[in-house]
Amino acid sequence: MTITAIDCDVHPTCTGNDILLPYLDTYWRDSVEERGMGSLESAAYPPNAPITARPDFRGPNGYAATDAAQVTRQVCDRWGASHAILNCLYGVQLIYNEDIARAFARALNDWITKEWLDRDPRLRASIVIPMQNVEYAVDEIERCAPDKRFVQVLVLAMQETPLGRRHHWPIFAAAEKHGLPLGIHAGSNYRNPVTSLGWPTSYVEDYTSQAQGFQSQVASLITEGVFAKYPKLKVVLIESGVTWLPGFLWRFSKFWRGARTEVPWVDRSPSEIVRDNFRLTIQPFDSPSDPHDVERIVEHLRSDDMLLFSSDFPHWQFDGDERIPKGIPDGLRHKILVENPLATYDRLNGASLRESAS
Amino acid sequence: MNIEVRQPARAQKTRYGIVDCDIHPKLLIEDYRRHLSNQWWSHLQTYGLRPRHGYTKAYPMPKITPQAARRDAWPPTGGMPGSDLGFLREQLLDLYDMDYGILNPLQPTAQGDQNPEFSAAMATAANEQQVDKWTAREKRLKASVVVPYEHPEASVAEIRRRAGSKDFAQVFMLSRTSEAHGRRRYWPIYQAAVEAGLPVGIHVFGYAGWPLTNSGWPSFYIEEMTEHATGQQAVVASMIFEGLFEQYRDLKVVLIESGFGWLPALGWRLDKHWERMRDEVPHVKRPPSEYIREHFWVSTQPMEEAEDPEHVLDAMRWIGFDRILFASDYPHWDFDDPVLALPPSLTEEQRRAIYSGNAKKLYGLA
């Protein structure tokens, strides 16, 4: 079997803490019961909101993507992905108690391993880390990294402090050491309002403001000097909307030119650093209605290497089977589907992938 | 050693009758004295300005130059950049042969101050000063109505006080308010602006009391500057999703000093997700990008600079050449020189519109 497409953003759904009980120790199992800790589902994706699951993907209980077979049937069998990367968005990153965060992040990664990765060789996953405590986050990377089916470290777009801040750097050191990109996915731990003007009225404002979060993280990671320290670190912006990037870089690179004495460790233009170190998944693709304009905005990225295929299953980003946005040039399809993901995820290369795919 | 490389005459071969939509006059604390009551003057002397950050004198992110000013903008007569009308004429209005300039005063105007009554008194005083020291002496200059936006009733009173005056061209807010601009508490301000026939200019800066990013506080001035665009994205989204433009169909909003490269993608994003979730915001009747196209104007500075200049033209086309206003940001360090700032491949008609025509139409300038 050849590598036909690598779906870089698929969401396995954890419907509640009862799912994780077998992966928690006695103390936390008891706590779940005695304290009535039912669910850590995040407000970033309200279970019944349209974005959270396309209607035709939902099962009788309203949930979608609750087991490996459901996911592979859609993304692999129907949409032809030879491999899919699971990004679990269960809200263990939101809880204030860092002991809970550690225990539930571990349980989540173990659940992913046993109930997903072990059940289908086409699946890969991201390591969910408890950002509440950097030491615990690094421990979790170290614990999961020996399993090469974990191909990325997953964090949310909106954090307690900007990601580039130096206290996060041990996470980047561990990720770089193990050849794991840092995947930044839409979502928030809700330590800060989702806009810089406070809490919005509507959920649609919350969701659309994710794009602002990505802009801030790109600025933070670069200005703080992360790529001077960890030049091999790759960052994947997942479910970001994509088309905000060129205009953002015009502005960012201009201010860097004007005020770069403030950050002397940034010794080349942010636009160049982004082209070298950042990648973006293609769903959602916030596109103009005219396909010619889509082609133009793709040109504005000034690189054929940046876009990675994703269906964002089961999120409702497109109807039918239109997973590649209209207007993306045909000449880029193979790059987006196969070559760019392989160049981004070191662990998708080599024997492990080819064996599992055969 | 500083060497003066600027030629004395900067007027272009073709005369465009430039309207500069973002000039920052420096209002001086001592000039507030005669426009404030004894109580508020004493308050200002004793407790000072209290923006929603921690410093009494410093900015949380130090600027890249003193007063964020061009190094050559300090008047030879002494005083602060932007404080001397004669020098401003010499460096800006006369040098570039401008028809008009819009004054957008920043601190010490006390917009967004923690004390809303003090903010109201300071706003009135700032508006008096703009007339006394600037527009009464120089007819090419038009003032902006500084409003104490965290005190909507006082803001309405201030707008009504200036309505009909030829000295004022717009209502002036900052981009970082304590709630997003579309929220109901600010609607009386927009209503008063529409009644007065004035556009609402939203200039970047201010302190909301919230972190500059939705991940908390960034470290660097560069980030503060890039975050101005993300802040304006929240402004636009809020105004649209709250249904503001269904209520105030004549409301015109000018986004100042936030650039414009981000606006097309924001429109596409809002459209896409509005389409999916419009049941949540039934008062939003049309695709968000249509409201953007009808109700928003953008100023050019800091002019977008792409690696491929043609890409900036794409963004201008997507926004609409009739919605883009030239601005220099004088006397700040990132000043855009009118002779050099616009992309050379614009057509003559587009240049005229951006330099002059769009602003004259929007602000009702002859």
Side-chain angles (χ1 to χ4, degrees), chain A residues 77-91:
Chain A
D77 300 341
R78 181 171 178 88
W79 287 339
S82 48
H83 298 84
I85 299 173
L86 303 172
N87 294 320
C88 188
L89 300 176
Y90 195 57

Side-chain angles (χ1 to χ4, degrees), chain A residues 159 161-162 194 201 203-204 208 215-217 224 251 254 257 262 275 286 293 296 300 316-317, chain B residues 175 183 210 214-216 219 221-222 225 227 233 242 258 269 272 276 280 303 305 307 314 318:
Chain A
Q159 297 283 336
T161 58
V194 298
T201 306
Y203 171 74
V204 67
T208 51
Q215 291 166 68
S216 305
Q217 299 297 14
E224 296 276 0
R251 182 175 181 90
K254 177 165 176 153
R257 261 199 310 284
E262 190 187 25
R275 279 198 292 275
D286 300 332
D293 287 333
R296 285 301 291 168
H300 289 194
W316 188 5
Q317 302 291 8
Chain B
S175 60
R183 301 272 286 196
W210 303 107
N214 50 25
S215 287
S219 304
Y221 177 65
I222 293 175
M225 299 304 274
E227 294 304 338
Q233 289 162 38
E242 298 280 0
S258 29
R269 181 171 184 81
K272 179 180 172 81
R276 184 79 72 229
E280 191 198 15
M303 185 63 201
E305 289 179 41
E307 291 164 303
D314 287 336
W318 287 327

Side-chain angles (χ1 to χ4, degrees), chain B residues 8-20:
Chain B
R10 295 292 281 169
Q12 302 185 341
K13 288 190 191 106
T14 312
R15 190 178 185 284
Y16 292 105
I18 293 171
V19 181
D20 185 344

Side-chain angles (χ1 to χ4, degrees), chain A residues 5-290:
Chain A
I6 295 161
D7 190 333
C8 296
D9 189 31
V10 170
H11 301 295
T13 304
C14 177
T15 54
N17 290 339
D18 53 325
I19 300 282
L20 300 179
L21 287 176
Y23 306 96
L24 293 165
D25 67 21
T26 312
Y27 174 80
W28 289 113
R29 272 202 305 274
D30 289 350
S31 297
V32 167
E33 188 176 335
E34 289 170 15
R35 299 175 68 180
M37 295 161 56
S39 162
L40 297 178
E41 288 160 283
S42 168
Y45 296 92
N48 295 325
I51 193 84
T52 307
R54 211 169 91 178
D56 57 323
F57 298 152
R58 290 182 190 266
N61 63 353
Y63 283 100
T66 51
D67 67 52
Q70 275 183 49
V71 167
T72 52
R73 201 158 49 234
Q74 186 69 37
V75 305
C76 299
D77 300 341
R78 181 171 178 88
W79 287 339
S82 48
H83 298 84
I85 299 173
L86 303 172
N87 294 320
C88 188
L89 300 176
Y90 195 57
V92 299
Q93 305 198 359
L94 281 61
I95 198 89
Y96 293 112
N97 177 329
E98 57 191 54
D99 300 321
I100 297 180
R102 175 164 66 171
F104 281 68
R106 289 179 70 121
L108 198 64
N109 291 322
D110 289 346
W111 173 68
I112 290 286
T113 305
K114 190 127 172 40
E115 302 292 335
W116 297 77
L117 300 180
D118 286 353
R119 289 185 186 230
D120 197 307
R122 293 171 293 188
L123 296 177
R124 298 293 183 277
S126 297
I127 304 169
V128 174
I129 57 172
M131 288 295 281
Q132 291 88 337
N133 179 312
V134 169
E135 194 183 320
Y136 295 174
V138 170
D139 287 349
E140 190 59 14
I141 295 170
E142 294 293 341
R143 195 182 73 87
C144 296
D147 185 339
K148 303 290 185 197
R149 295 173 300 180
F150 282 107
V151 299
Q152 173 170 253
V153 172
L154 186 70
V155 298
L156 300 177
M158 303 184 202
Q159 297 283 336
E160 187 159 359
T161 58
L163 275 169
R165 292 280 304 277
R166 315 277 159 82
H167 58 94
H168 290 135
W169 286 22
I171 293 168
F172 309 141
E176 189 193 45
K177 181 179 79 176
H178 292 292
L180 295 162
L182 178 75
I184 304 177
H185 193 286
S188 177
N189 62 10
Y190 295 98
R191 297 299 190 274
N192 297 291
V194 298
T195 86
S196 54
L197 308 173
W199 300 95
T201 306
S202 57
Y203 171 74
V204 67
E205 276 178 272
D206 179 307
Y207 187 76
T208 51
S209 69
Q210 301 287 348
Q212 283 97 273
F214 284 98
Q215 291 166 68
S216 305
Q217 299 297 14
V218 173
S220 173
L221 288 163
I222 290 175
T223 52
E224 296 276 0
V226 169
F227 303 99
K229 180 79 172 176
Y230 308 105
K232 293 200 297 280
L233 181 69
K234 292 173 193 158
V235 178
V236 184
L237 308 177
I238 311 172
E239 205 178 318
S240 75
V242 182
T243 56
W244 52 269
L245 182 67
F248 167 75
L249 287 176
W250 302 343
R251 182 175 181 90
F252 184 21
S253 298
K254 177 165 176 153
F255 280 114
W256 167 78
R257 261 199 310 284
R260 65 189 186 275
T261 50
E262 190 187 25
V263 289
W265 44 84
V266 184
D267 57 4
R268 59 205 178 108
S269 166
S271 296
E272 287 178 40
I273 296 174
V274 166
R275 279 198 292 275
D276 285 349
N277 292 79
F278 285 79
R279 300 293 178 259
L280 305 97
T281 65
I282 59 162
Q283 285 295 347
F285 193 88
D286 300 332
S287 56
S289 49
D290 182 341

